[in-house]
Amino acid sequence: MEYLTYIWRPVTGGRHAFPIAARKTPAGERVSAYCGAEADAAELHDRTEVDWIREHSCADCWRILAQRS
């Protein structure tokens, strides 16, 4: 069985892929996306549909994840 290893989240500045462990990081701490973009962990939670529509997917995160497979 294969488990989820990353999540996509729209944070300020784009929709980025984060390691799955970032979901458990407390608010106020910084988390890093695969491309190196950083955000407050609070930004990973409670995102709205508008947040998802407004932000563009990070091409660097896509490339990094594609290279892993």
Side-chain angles (χ1 to χ4, degrees), residues 47-54:
R47 305 314 294 185
T48 67
E49 285 187 43
V50 173
D51 295 327
W52 282 91
I53 293 167
R54 201 176 312 174

Side-chain angles (χ1 to χ4, degrees), residues 49-62:
E49 285 187 43
V50 173
D51 295 327
W52 282 91
I53 293 167
R54 201 176 312 174
E55 299 294 348
H56 295 283
S57 292
C58 174
D60 290 334
C61 283
W62 274 112

